[in-house]
Amino acid sequence: MAIDVHTLADAIERANRAMGGLTDQLNAADAKLGDGDTGTMLARLIGSFAAVDLQNAPDLGAGFMALAKTGAASTGSSLGTLIVTAMMTAGKASAGQDAIEWNGLSQILLAVRDAAMARGKAELGAKTIIDGLDALARAIAGKDDPAAIAAAAREAMDQALLEFRERPSAIGRARMFAEKSVGLDDPGMLALAEIVRAVTTNHSATALA
Amino acid sequence: MAIDVHTLADAIERANRAMGGLTDQLNAADAKLGDGDTGTMLARLIGSFAAVDLQNAPDLGAGFMALAKTGAASTGSSLGTLIVTAMMTAGKASAGQDAIEWNGLSQILLAVRDAAMARGKAELGAKTIIDGLDALARAIAGKDDPAAIAAAAREAMDQALLEFRERPSAIGRARMFAEKSVGLDDPGMLALAEIVRAVTTNHSATALA
Amino acid sequence: MKKLINDPADYVDEMLDGLCLAHPGLRRVGDDRRAIVHSVAMWPGKVGVVSGGGSGHLPLFTGYVGPGLLDACAIGNVFEGPTINSCQDAIAAADRGAGVLCLFGNYGGDRMNFEMASEFAALEGVETRTVLGTDDIASARPAEGHKRRGVAGLIFAYKAAGAMAEAGGDLDAVASIAQKVVDRTRTIGVALSSCQIPGAAGPNFTIADDEIEFGMGIHGEPGIWRHKIRPADELVDEMIAMLLAERPAGVSRVAVLVNSLGSTPFEELFILYRRAAQQLDAAGLTIVRPLIGPYVTSMEMGGASISLCFLDDEIEGLLAAPADCPFWKVG
Amino acid sequence: MKKLINDPADYVDEMLDGLCLAHPGLRRVGDDRRAIVHSVAMWPGKVGVVSGGGSGHLPLFTGYVGPGLLDACAIGNVFEGPTINSCQDAIAAADRGAGVLCLFGNYGGDRMNFEMASEFAALEGVETRTVLGTDDIASARPAEGHKRRGVAGLIFAYKAAGAMAEAGGDLDAVASIAQKVVDRTRTIGVALSSCQIPGAAGPNFTIADDEIEFGMGIHGEPGIWRHKIRPADELVDEMIAMLLAERPAGVSRVAVLVNSLGSTPFEELFILYRRAAQQLDAAGLTIVRPLIGPYVTSMEMGGASISLCFLDDEIEGLLAAPADCPFWKVG
Ligand SMILES: Nc1ncnc2c1ncn2[C@@H]1O[C@H](COP(=O)(O)OP(=O)(O)O)[C@@H](O)[C@H]1O
Ligand SMILES: Nc1ncnc2c1ncn2[C@@H]1O[C@H](COP(=O)(O)OP(=O)(O)O)[C@@H](O)[C@H]1O
Ligand SMILES: [Mg+2]
Ligand SMILES: [Mg+2]
Ligand SMILES: [Mg+2]
Ligand SMILES: [Mg+2]
């Protein structure tokens, strides 16, 4: 069992369903120091992903690229564009492949992390979604059991939130309020954590399987 | 004893003092269907009258003309301009005279009424300050005792307010709301009534004497 | 309501000083400097065009002083008419020996003050004519059109009268084109929220959070009827239908002004204009020179008005003539 | 907060339709028609100048499309950046073989989207340069000037870059004049009241009745510090002092923009301008081409900003060059 377009479609469907309950929470997190739209933007982006016909994509790479294409037409937010970048990166990494092995996921997330850093001109440690991606990629490295990966992913995100909460933001709008940002979650990292939770919890094994 | 510049100055001083308590009441009356400024405008106009040095005016006619001139430079409201018209009319009627007899006051008020009608393009019965002037002039006709004039003037104004309250307005902003104006006092007529009261009450005999 | 002002008593004078500093082509004249003139030389024998009214309506009234528009303008305190003296100052400043048109909104105070000023001007040998803006269809029934008050549509009359005067029209010609434009211009407005006079204790009026008011006056005088708020397209349909009910026979072209009363943003004006354009098109009317923006305001009042000027060839030509003032430039 | 709108989901598209109907020189292009272009022919070999940003800021961004200013503009939803695709559409529409300058405010999302669009454009052989508006002095200390966000002062860069492109400057020349103007432009703003995104449950932020906020972002991002409200002259003095603290050596002339954030009326802007002009004069600066009005707004947000562009001969000449868009006409 590996990651194919069905796995991808299922994850997106779960994320999309979860956004119903997450939108306000993420908006509220962003409103503290930003413009309060992280949830709304993300809900729309994932909604547009959910409308993509992945099941009929020729291969996994093409599936990711279809998501990137949809995203490029439907989001203008920072986080959205980083997610589009992520989809393009994953698409390139899985180009022409029907599926990738579970133990290859970490590698792809590291590539995504690097691409997002380049696109966002952000360093590690700046307290953004990128630090979440980094923690995630490192936590699942070497693992090939979907259930173990799910558990490690959730655990890593909780840890990352906890670790970064007390640190100042160094990028984006929150940068202007570096001191005020201490004690607050970065909305992008929080979004990633909640989506990881939604995608991996309950039927987590089957979700990623 | 007749009406001279001292009588005029005293009346203006009384009116000016009374405006302190009348401004809000008159604004509120105007706000019902108009733009709510009758009190403010009138207070400013009478305030500017009070600053005119009437005591040293060469004669009564010149005193009235000095008031007209000050008014022309300091008011832009309908009521204000009607009052300026009134001052010019009274000034013409008393030109070159040191004083006028009390029994001549009615005649001057009738002239003022007519000038205001011409200026305001208003008929009698339209429910404006002009109906108040008309009632006032008629009530004091033939009287030459200041105390009797004062009493008749107050009585006439009360009657006029009462009579017109239940009638619709036919002019100015209130015209648009003719039906709604039934039951309300016309702010200009109310202003005249209150000023008559202020000028004639308490030390009324000496005030007009 | 918060305002970026100093002492409310200085509001008008500081505003006028700022206006003239920003637009050095404008100058304050008169004893109390409450008349505004422009500095482009008027040729001797040109008919003068003046207006006047209260402050708080920028760009109206003083903002329309400039070549091809007003030659001078008298300005009062916030929402108060100009004084008789200011009206005299404006008339005197605009006089070049060929007479002066006094063109302003139909408000009792303004009319009386300009009339008195005109009588004084006559004593000094200056001939004047008066034309009153009466475009607000909410303020009287059609049969009593001459009793209607003047609102945003007045600027079409400014433009046509200014152009006619520049073109060398005599006083009768300038007055009669102004009257023709007034006769062919209609406005209806809808208010959403109040303004507040500087220094006043509270807003001019209150209106519920889910209500809007048709026919509110530009000084915040009560409107004619209230509605629950409705979609913009429905409101525009209602407004256009009311305006077209007075469409003169044989007219196929209109000038349109979608005006912000103050705080209503450009975005909403364009949403309104989009629907208005569709409806006018459906009515067989071609739109010429649409104006969309804050042209006649009541400080921060929320809401919008739609004005139509039903054109003929003469008016259309005059609206197209060059003109230049701080808020409106043609050609 | 009441709005004259239809379905909030249609807000941007109806607004753009109305804008293009009112100004037939503008057209919507692209798959989702979220890029605006003007119809005055660009000569082959002219450098294109494009911008982009969220809706809700009219006249910014799309309102500055026109000859001598922007050739095309990508537009997003209210307060959201334009999509990558819209950025591509704008770049493609502005390309005449000599490259395209992308000139927009320094916001992460906008930057990333234009960068991705530029990479796609490069694949199609279109060369681009990027210059970011960074005029908001409240958003970072001088030492971190490149991190500042872009606000109202961006329009000076539009004007200079547009004029340089019209004058035949190559891509490097157009980009470098835009950068020079950005480097010499500073803005500080003060907010009095919030706006509300169409369809949102409440206003973007709240602020007490007696408070004002310095450095509020144009999307309603929290400001830098709050004050009790004070007289306008005191506020202006404070704002001008902050702006002049970054005055480059040897500058004696400035362009000034006193901008309404939305609902603040012209009257108040002129009161602010009056004081600003006095203070700049006292600082030995000559004001050139002052702009006073709603040039960069956040819908109905209350407040104002002051921008200074410290001039040299080259910039001054470019600001004076002819330009024509729905909201700004020069020459
Ligand atoms: N330059 C950047 N690099 C990395 N992450 C970023 C960057 N800018 C924003 N983000 C992430 O995006 C989140 C904000 O997303 P969102 O609110 O959708 O965007 P916007 O700032 O455009 O409103 C931040 O919390 C942060 O995690
Ligand atoms: N044309 C008119 N003829 C006679 N009286 C008038 C006329 N217009 C207004 N008035 C009087 O003036 C009063 C309103 O005065 P005020 O509120 O000061 O003027 P404005 O209408 O300019 O705000 C009315 O109540 C009425 O008595
Ligand atoms: Mg955000
Ligand atoms: Mg009144
Ligand atoms: Mg009044
Ligand atoms: Mg955003």
Side-chain angles (χ1 to χ4, degrees):
Chain A
M1 228 167 14
I3 301 172
D4 62 12
V5 287
H6 306 290
T7 330
L8 183 58
D10 182 60
I12 282 167
E13 203 201 306
R14 283 162 174 274
N16 193 34
R17 256 183 284 131
M19 281 312 298
L22 288 175
T23 302
D24 290 347
Q25 178 191 351
L26 296 175
N27 281 346
D30 188 35
K32 296 239 168 69
L33 300 174
D35 60 351
D37 62 358
T38 305
T40 308
M41 300 295 96
L42 196 60
R44 203 173 40 207
L45 180 61
I46 296 181
S48 78
F49 285 173
V52 173
D53 179 16
L54 286 174
Q55 310 281 357
N56 290 318
D59 59 51
L60 183 61
F64 276 119
M65 282 300 184
L67 296 178
K69 194 163 169 238
T70 296
S74 67
T75 184
S77 76
S78 314
L79 189 59
T81 302
L82 290 171
I83 293 174
V84 172
T85 304
M87 296 302 155
M88 290 178 95
T89 308
K92 277 182 209 157
S94 56
Q97 301 178 39
D98 282 332
I100 56 168
E101 295 307 316
W102 281 101
N103 66 14
L105 184 56
S106 172
Q107 202 55 43
I108 289 186
L109 285 174
L110 288 174
V112 163
R113 177 200 68 183
D114 293 343
M117 283 173 68
R119 178 60 64 216
K121 299 210 200 323
E123 306 287 318
L124 280 180
K127 191 175 176 175
T128 69
I129 189 169
I130 292 173
D131 293 302
L133 281 168
D134 178 62
L136 194 60
R138 286 190 292 104
I140 66 173
K143 298 203 161 50
D144 52 16
D145 169 45
I149 285 177
R154 287 195 299 273
E155 167 72 16
M157 289 314 304
D158 289 346
Q159 277 301 326
L161 283 175
L162 200 66
E163 178 193 339
F164 278 92
R165 194 167 294 143
E166 298 310 316
R167 295 168 59 170
S169 291
I171 213 133
R173 300 201 169 109
R175 165 188 58 75
M176 289 183 252
F177 312 96
E179 279 154 48
K180 290 195 213 165
S181 69
V182 171
L184 301 176
D185 289 331
D186 171 67
M189 203 192 297
L190 181 63
L192 180 64
E194 294 293 346
I195 298 243
V196 164
R197 185 186 319 278
V199 172
T200 61
T201 311
N202 276 344
H203 314 284
S204 59
T206 58
L208 283 178
Chain B
M1 231 165 16
I3 301 171
D4 61 12
V5 287
H6 307 290
T7 328
L8 183 58
D10 182 61
I12 282 167
E13 204 202 305
R14 283 163 174 274
N16 193 34
R17 255 183 286 131
M19 282 313 297
L22 287 174
T23 302
D24 289 349
Q25 178 191 351
L26 295 175
N27 282 345
D30 189 33
K32 295 238 167 70
L33 300 174
D35 60 352
D37 61 359
T38 305
T40 307
M41 301 294 97
L42 197 60
R44 202 173 42 209
L45 179 61
I46 296 181
S48 77
F49 285 172
V52 173
D53 179 16
L54 286 173
Q55 312 281 356
N56 289 318
D59 58 52
L60 183 62
F64 277 118
M65 281 301 183
L67 296 177
K69 197 165 167 237
T70 295
S74 67
T75 183
S77 76
S78 313
L79 189 59
T81 301
L82 290 171
I83 294 173
V84 171
T85 303
M87 295 304 153
M88 290 178 95
T89 307
K92 278 182 208 156
S94 57
Q97 301 178 39
D98 282 332
I100 56 167
E101 295 306 316
W102 281 101
N103 66 16
L105 183 56
S106 173
Q107 201 56 43
I108 290 186
L109 285 174
L110 288 174
V112 163
R113 177 199 69 184
D114 293 342
M117 284 174 67
R119 176 61 63 215
K121 300 211 199 323
E123 306 286 317
L124 279 180
K127 191 173 175 177
T128 69
I129 189 170
I130 293 172
D131 294 302
L133 282 168
D134 178 63
L136 193 60
R138 286 189 295 103
I140 66 173
K143 298 205 165 47
D144 52 15
D145 168 46
I149 286 177
R154 287 197 298 273
E155 166 72 18
M157 289 314 305
D158 289 347
Q159 276 301 328
L161 283 175
L162 200 67
E163 178 194 337
F164 279 93
R165 194 166 293 140
E166 296 310 315
R167 294 167 61 168
S169 290
I171 213 133
R173 299 202 169 108
R175 166 188 57 75
M176 289 182 252
F177 313 95
E179 280 154 47
K180 289 196 216 167
S181 69
V182 171
L184 301 177
D185 287 331
D186 171 67
M189 203 192 298
L190 181 63
L192 181 64
E194 293 294 346
I195 299 246
V196 164
R197 186 187 317 279
V199 171
T200 62
T201 312
N202 278 345
H203 315 284
S204 60
T206 60
L208 284 176
Chain C
M1 224 165 274
K2 282 172 272 192
K3 290 177 186 279
L4 293 169
I5 61 173
N6 298 300
D7 185 339
D10 300 327
Y11 183 86
V12 173
D13 289 304
E14 291 182 350
M15 176 273 284
L16 292 175
D17 281 346
L19 176 72
C20 294
L21 275 170
H23 301 285
L26 300 183
R27 237 167 353 108
R28 302 180 61 179
V29 299
D31 274 349
D32 52 5
R33 300 168 63 239
R34 288 291 184 87
I36 300 286
V37 298
H38 68 78
S39 55
V40 176
M42 286 171 68
W43 36 274
K46 178 186 169 302
V47 168
V49 181
V50 310
S51 190
S55 291
H57 303 298
L58 278 178
L60 204 68
F61 297 87
T62 44
Y64 294 108
V65 173
L69 288 156
L70 303 178
D71 296 300
C73 186
I75 183 97
N77 288 322
V78 175
F79 292 2
E80 286 177 42
T83 66
I84 297 165
N85 284 5
S86 300
C87 296
Q88 279 182 260
D89 292 334
I91 292 170
D95 171 43
R96 288 296 176 279
V100 174
L101 172 68
C102 300
L103 174 57
F104 52 94
N106 183 27
Y107 294 93
D110 298 2
R111 181 183 58 70
M112 291 189 245
N113 290 346
F114 267 109
E115 271 182 19
M116 290 185 75
S118 295
E119 289 168 19
F120 288 118
L123 296 179
E124 282 160 24
V126 180
E127 198 184 354
T128 61
R129 293 272 188 293
T130 296
V131 172
L132 301 174
T134 55
D135 53 312
D136 183 7
I137 61 169
S139 57
R141 282 162 300 140
E144 299 203 300
H146 64 287
K147 291 190 177 173
R148 287 175 172 170
R149 61 192 170 197
V151 289
L154 184 60
I155 69 171
F156 291 120
Y158 284 176
K159 180 71 188 71
M164 180 61 91
E166 285 295 339
D170 65 14
L171 184 55
D172 284 333
V174 174
S176 85
I177 189 69
Q179 188 62 55
K180 180 159 97 173
V181 172
V182 165
D183 290 342
R184 297 168 75 101
T185 300
R186 299 289 185 279
T187 298
I188 180 72
V190 54
L192 276 67
S193 62
S194 180
C195 55
Q196 181 166 328
I197 293 178
N204 273 37
F205 59 91
T206 54
I207 178 164
D209 265 357
D210 62 344
E211 281 189 336
I212 59 174
E213 186 153 334
F214 270 79
M216 171 85 54
I218 59 172
H219 312 100
E221 306 94 322
I224 310 301
W225 66 96
R226 287 198 178 193
H227 261 321
K228 291 288 164 199
I229 186 147
R230 290 196 275 154
D233 284 359
E234 284 181 33
L235 291 173
V236 171
D237 291 355
E238 185 173 354
M239 294 165 88
I240 294 289
M242 285 190 278
L243 293 170
L244 291 187
E246 300 191 21
R247 171 183 181 175
V251 170
S252 64
R253 296 168 73 81
V254 275
V256 180
L257 165 60
V258 176
N259 175 56
S260 171
L261 301 188
S263 62
T264 292
F266 284 115
E267 283 80 4
E268 296 177 34
L269 299 183
F270 286 117
I271 289 174
L272 299 176
Y273 178 71
R274 169 186 165 276
R275 183 65 169 197
Q278 289 169 350
Q279 296 297 65
L280 292 171
D281 186 56
L285 286 164
T286 302
I287 295 177
V288 186
R289 314 193 151 268
L291 297 170
I292 289 99
Y295 283 90
V296 172
T297 68
S298 298
M299 298 183 292
E300 63 279 310
M301 194 189 287
S305 64
I306 302 179
S307 302
L308 299 183
C309 176
F310 296 104
L311 300 173
D312 64 9
D313 289 346
E314 183 185 31
I315 300 175
E316 190 170 339
L318 293 167
L319 294 184
D324 188 8
C325 74
F327 301 92
W328 192 10
K329 193 167 172 173
V330 181
Chain D
M1 222 166 276
K2 282 172 272 192
K3 289 179 185 279
L4 292 169
I5 61 172
N6 298 299
D7 185 339
D10 299 328
Y11 183 86
V12 173
D13 289 305
E14 291 182 349
M15 176 272 285
L16 292 175
D17 281 346
L19 177 72
C20 294
L21 275 170
H23 301 285
L26 300 183
R27 236 166 355 107
R28 303 181 61 179
V29 298
D31 274 349
D32 54 4
R33 301 168 62 241
R34 288 292 185 88
I36 300 286
V37 298
H38 68 78
S39 54
V40 177
M42 286 170 70
W43 35 274
K46 177 186 170 303
V47 168
V49 182
V50 310
S51 189
S55 291
H57 303 297
L58 279 178
L60 203 69
F61 298 87
T62 43
Y64 294 107
V65 173
L69 288 155
L70 302 178
D71 296 301
C73 185
I75 183 99
N77 288 323
V78 174
F79 293 1
E80 287 177 41
T83 66
I84 298 165
N85 284 4
S86 301
C87 295
Q88 280 182 259
D89 293 333
I91 291 170
D95 171 43
R96 289 294 177 281
V100 174
L101 172 67
C102 300
L103 174 57
F104 53 94
N106 184 27
Y107 295 93
D110 299 3
R111 181 184 57 70
M112 290 189 244
N113 290 346
F114 266 108
E115 272 181 19
M116 291 185 75
S118 295
E119 288 167 20
F120 287 119
L123 296 178
E124 282 159 25
V126 180
E127 197 183 355
T128 60
R129 292 273 187 294
T130 296
V131 173
L132 301 174
T134 55
D135 53 314
D136 183 6
I137 61 169
S139 58
R141 282 162 301 138
E144 299 204 298
H146 63 287
K147 292 192 177 172
R148 287 175 172 171
R149 61 193 170 197
V151 288
L154 185 60
I155 68 171
F156 291 120
Y158 284 176
K159 180 70 188 70
M164 179 62 91
E166 285 295 340
D170 66 15
L171 184 55
D172 283 333
V174 174
S176 85
I177 188 70
Q179 189 62 55
K180 179 158 96 172
V181 172
V182 165
D183 291 341
R184 297 168 74 102
T185 301
R186 299 289 184 280
T187 298
I188 180 72
V190 54
L192 275 68
S193 62
S194 180
C195 55
Q196 180 165 327
I197 293 178
N204 273 39
F205 59 91
T206 54
I207 178 163
D209 265 358
D210 61 344
E211 281 190 336
I212 59 175
E213 186 152 333
F214 271 78
M216 171 85 55
I218 59 172
H219 313 100
E221 305 94 323
I224 310 300
W225 66 96
R226 287 197 178 192
H227 262 322
K228 291 288 164 196
I229 187 148
R230 291 196 276 153
D233 285 359
E234 284 181 34
L235 291 173
V236 170
D237 292 355
E238 185 172 356
M239 294 165 89
I240 294 288
M242 286 190 279
L243 294 168
L244 291 187
E246 301 191 23
R247 171 183 181 176
V251 171
S252 63
R253 297 168 73 81
V254 276
V256 179
L257 165 60
V258 176
N259 176 56
S260 171
L261 300 187
S263 62
T264 292
F266 284 115
E267 283 81 3
E268 295 177 34
L269 299 182
F270 285 118
I271 289 173
L272 299 176
Y273 178 72
R274 169 186 165 275
R275 183 66 170 196
Q278 290 169 351
Q279 297 297 66
L280 292 170
D281 185 56
L285 287 163
T286 302
I287 295 176
V288 185
R289 313 193 152 269
L291 298 170
I292 290 99
Y295 283 88
V296 171
T297 68
S298 297
M299 297 182 294
E300 64 279 310
M301 194 189 287
S305 64
I306 302 179
S307 303
L308 299 184
C309 176
F310 296 103
L311 301 173
D312 64 9
D313 289 347
E314 183 186 31
I315 301 175
E316 190 170 339
L318 293 166
L319 293 185
D324 189 8
C325 73
F327 301 91
W328 193 10
K329 193 166 171 171
V330 180

